[in-house]
Each structure stands twice: as structure tokens, then as C-alpha cells.
Amino acid sequence: MTARARLVVVSNRVPSLAPPDQTAEDRSLVVGGLVSALTPVLERRDCIWFGWSGKSTERTPTGPPKVTSVGSITLVTVDLSRTETRLFYSVFSNQTLWPLLHSFPHYVVIRQDAYRVFKRINQRYAQQLRPLLQDGDLVWVHDFHLFMLGKELRRLGWQGKIGYFLHIPFSPADIFGILPWRRELLEALFDYDLVGLQTKRFVHNLIDSLEAEFGAKASDGHFQWGDRSVRAEVHPIGIDPEEFTRWAQQSEHGVADRLLQRISPQHRVILGVDRLDYTKGIPDRLLAFEYLLKHYPSVRGNVSMVQISAPSRATVPEYIQEKERLDLLVGRINGRFAEAGWDPVHYLYRAFTQEQLAAIYRRTDVCLITPLRDGMNLVAKEFVASQSIDDPGVLVLSEFCGAAETMTEALMVNPYDVEGTARTIHKALRMPLAERRARWKSLFAEVATNTSQVWSDRFLESLVKEP
């Protein structure tokens, strides 16, 4: 059924997808996330991708959505007013739900006006989408911006299958419980046939919140409340590893050296790749590298840390503060330890194409994926797929990252433990080739087995399955 049914993907933002014949330099700049996971899946089937265009207008838009096509993918986009963009996207999505679901309650902003606009945008998305739906379509809603879209589609009479996937964590019940509208949001999940999350822990947290709010119990992932029910399942997201392996192999003739031209080929590379976000633990990572330089002097002049931070939500105060903190830390470390011909930290505040990242991954000796909390983190999988069996790099992974549940051959760290993280980095730098190969083989087997195609197939097969 999933092979024949048209797939309708709904997300807050529709990506800017380039035609397949464009060069790497012309394609969208992406660092992991929803686009990199879904694009190879959608290119193989008839589908619609519906969401915000990214454009903001002075007044509330009233016209029909815009329709464009890229290959087999039909992009359907709607605009938002500037006020809606601020309250729906910047405030409620990014200053309320994002920190709440990542378990950063001290960052959570509670504003009634923002919640009203959040509900209104979910309603408008449903109103614009409903006329486009055909019998037999599978509707797949993505992420925290659209908690209530299923509810609004049901109000408009849609009786077909609707799945929902949350790409970020779901917080423990006592943290989610600080949200004044928690019951309304949780109740809206019952309008989905299937709710997918990244890890067993996140499913457990969701079930805890449902039990705390509605007083019933779950059985084998099914939660019954009166005559309504919802299934919650673990569906860890993957990547297309063949793409990254191919890009990395094609890049072996100096691509990374051109991208990292200030780093000598003789220097070993420690890499971090993240959106600029306070959940990613970048300052803690820099502090760990600073501790490494101070207490393991043999690495000085021989190892450079490259931190790639793609700009993100640049107008949100917390993100402005995060960038300022990073700038100060990088300046302090380089000022303290730099030598002629060697800078300890290279901080690149810009995005790279996936092809460019594959080249950089291939050149990397140690990749630090150390978020304080993360849904999955596809960079970890991209790094593994880009390595060479002849001389693979080492993956250092936060135990609070969704990828840690299955990528168990990585070196695990608690990113809050600066000294412990520094010791683990030092261990990674000294790891013998035989151990690096053994760990990489195990990690690659997991990445190659649980791909983005497998993720989508399993989710959609479960969506159409009768309860």
C-alpha cells in the first residue's frame, strides 16, 4: 500500500530543493536534520511537501498556496505575516516548545498571545492543505511546530491516515507539565494514527505525560483514553550512507585541504559540526578542548579543533548570547595557546553543502558530537558513512544524544563533565588503528542498516497497519 499511495509530507518549512542536475555548489546548504533525511526518500516516490515558504509579508496572506515541482516532488508553500512569523515561529516554537522539549525549562517563554497564533497557524495549514488531499493519501506531519495539525485536519473531515514524527526529544513529564496548554497539546496527538519518536526514552517520556494528564495506562505502545487511542513507537531516523561514502571518496584529492586551508596537512583534526544552538553543548566542548591543551601539552601544535556552526535563529536573544559566548571562548583559547603557524581553534560560522561536509569528515581524526540534549543527530551518522576503512576517525558521542541508543561503539561522554570529555578526546587521539577499524565497522553496519529509506518505510508500513 505504501508504494502505491501518494505521500503528503507536512513540515513547518519547505526546503529549497535544487533540480538533480545542479552542481554541489548550487544545492541547498544543509547540516543534517529533516531535509537531509527526507529528500532521498521523497525523490523515489510521488509526493507533496507542504509548509511555510520562509517568506513573511506585512499583512496576513489570503491567497492560495504556491505550487512548484522539482522532479517527482511537488512543493506547496504558504506565506506568513511578520507578526505570525514572530509569534508562531520565533516565540512559541523556538522559545517555548524547543527549550521545553529539550529539557531546558529556564529558557521557556510562556505567552498566551503566542499560543493563540500557534493554534491559528496550525488551523490555516490544515485549511490550505485539506483541498489538496485525495482518497488514499498518507499524510506525514513532522515536528513540534505542527502538534495540532492532525486535530485541525480531522475537524475539516479528513478521515485518512495521519502520522506524526517528532524529530527532537520529548521531555520528562515533570518538565513538560510546566506548559499551561499541555493537556490541549497532548489531546491533539489522539488525532494521529501513529506518533513516532527517536528513542525508547522519548517514547517513555511521552507515555508518562499521557498517563499523568489522562490517568490511563499504555499497553505495548497503545494509549487508550475513552474511545480514543494513539500508538507511540520508536522510529530512529537515518541517512543515505551511500551518498556520503561516494562524496567522501570523490573528495580525497584535496577538497578538505582547500576548505580547511589554514590547517596544515600534518595537523590532526578534531571536528564539531552543529547548528548554532544552546542545546548542542558547543561551549562545553570548547572548554574540554581547552582542558586538553592545558593538561596534555603533547597535543599542542599538532592538533587543531574545527568548529563549524551553521547560523540559526539569529534574531532570538538566546542564540545571540550563545554566539557571543562562543566568540569569547575561541578568542581566549587561541590567545592563550596559539603558536606561529598553528591556531588551536578554527571557528567557521557558516553552512557547508553535504558534499563539502563529507570531504571534511574524511579528513577528520576525531568527531565530537556532544550535545547537552538532542533528538538523534544525523551528523554522527554522516561522519561514520564518510570514513575510510583504511584509516577511520573516531566518533565521540554524548550519552544525551539520540544516536547513543544504537551507536554504542562510539566513545561515550557526559558533555557536562569537561575533564572527562577531555580525557576521552585524548584517548580517541591515541586509539590504535586496529581498534579504530573495529569500532568503525560496527558503527557503519548500524548506519548502513538503519538508513533514511528504512526509517520511512518502517514508519509508513506501521502507519497503514490496522491497530
Side-chain angles (χ1 to χ4, degrees), residues 141-440:
V141 180
H142 289 267
D143 234 354
F144 58 103
H145 315 80
L146 302 174
F147 255 100
M148 308 184 80
L149 184 65
K151 174 182 179 180
E152 298 303 329
L153 284 174
R154 298 299 186 201
R155 281 183 174 176
L156 295 172
W158 175 250
Q159 297 179 357
K161 294 288 187 178
I162 314 177
Y164 178 75
F165 188 81
L166 184 66
H167 290 257
I168 67 174
F170 197 95
S171 54
D174 56 345
I175 293 179
F176 190 78
I178 72 174
L179 192 68
W181 315 282
R182 61 187 181 274
R183 186 178 182 89
E184 191 171 8
L185 287 179
L186 290 171
E187 186 176 343
L189 294 180
F190 285 94
D191 288 295
Y192 294 106
D193 296 283
L194 174 64
V195 174
L197 300 101
Q198 300 276 20
T199 71
K200 295 176 184 177
R201 182 191 296 270
F202 302 156
V203 170
H204 176 77
N205 288 347
L206 172 60
I207 295 298
D208 278 354
S209 285
L210 290 170
E211 290 178 350
E213 198 61 42
F214 300 105
K217 294 292 182 181
S219 175
D220 295 327
H222 286 73
F223 192 90
Q224 192 76 30
W225 177 51
D227 61 350
R228 306 179 69 189
S229 65
V230 65
R231 281 182 292 137
E233 296 178 351
V234 179
H235 288 276
I237 196 169
I239 63 168
D240 184 348
E242 293 181 359
E243 286 267 80
F244 281 90
T245 300
R246 177 171 56 83
W247 290 331
Q249 289 172 343
Q250 291 173 348
S251 73
E252 288 185 331
H253 301 291
V255 174
D257 289 334
R258 291 196 298 272
L259 294 170
L260 305 176
Q261 54 186 302
R262 292 169 55 199
I263 299 178
S264 168
Q266 283 72 46
H267 289 163
R268 305 186 73 188
V269 173
I270 298 173
L271 177 68
V273 178
D274 313 85
R275 281 190 311 102
L276 181 62
D277 193 287
Y278 55 80
T279 66
K280 300 299 184 181
I282 304 172
D284 307 80
R285 185 183 309 159
L286 287 167
L287 290 172
F289 184 63
E290 183 180 43
Y291 188 96
L292 178 79
L293 295 175
K294 179 179 179 182
H295 294 275
Y296 299 89
S298 62
V299 305
R300 298 177 200 166
N302 298 309
V303 177
S304 294
M305 179 175 178
V306 177
Q307 176 58 52
I308 296 173
S309 295
S312 173
R313 301 164 187 164
T315 61
V316 177
E318 292 82 1
Y319 293 80
I320 296 172
Q321 294 167 10
E322 186 76 358
K323 184 177 185 305
E324 291 173 349
R325 185 181 179 193
L326 293 181
D327 290 342
L328 288 172
L329 273 172
V330 171
R332 185 179 84 190
I333 295 170
N334 283 340
R336 181 179 181 184
F337 293 103
E339 301 172 0
W342 174 70
D343 289 324
V345 181
H346 297 260
Y347 178 43
L348 306 177
Y349 181 60
R350 64 185 182 90
F352 288 80
T353 67
Q354 290 183 312
E355 293 93 327
Q356 290 171 331
L357 285 175
I360 295 171
Y361 294 146
R362 191 77 155 197
R363 168 78 167 83
T364 296
D365 297 282
V366 178
C367 187
L368 300 182
I369 309 295
T370 57
L372 306 178
R373 186 74 62 181
D374 216 339
M376 174 55 67
N377 198 299
L378 296 181
V379 171
K381 300 190 176 190
E382 294 169 2
F383 170 76
V384 169
S386 302
Q387 296 305 293
S388 164
I389 182 57
D390 294 332
D391 188 21
V394 180
L395 178 63
V396 176
L397 196 58
S398 165
E399 61 188 77
F400 305 122
C401 177
E405 190 164 280
T406 56
M407 302 183 76
T408 54
E409 287 302 311
L411 296 183
M412 298 294 172
V413 296
N414 177 344
Y416 293 93
D417 179 6
V418 169
E419 182 177 344
T421 301
R423 286 198 305 268
T424 302
I425 297 171
H426 190 246
K427 176 182 177 180
L429 289 168
R430 300 178 64 201
M431 185 178 292
L433 177 60
E435 183 179 353
R436 285 190 280 124
R437 285 176 172 170
R439 287 180 180 271
W440 176 81

Side-chain angles (χ1 to χ4, degrees), residues 17-28 43 69-71 355:
L17 297 177
D21 59 347
Q22 282 196 359
T23 64
E25 289 74 20
D26 294 328
R27 294 179 186 158
S28 301
E43 287 175 342
S69 294
V70 179
E355 293 93 327

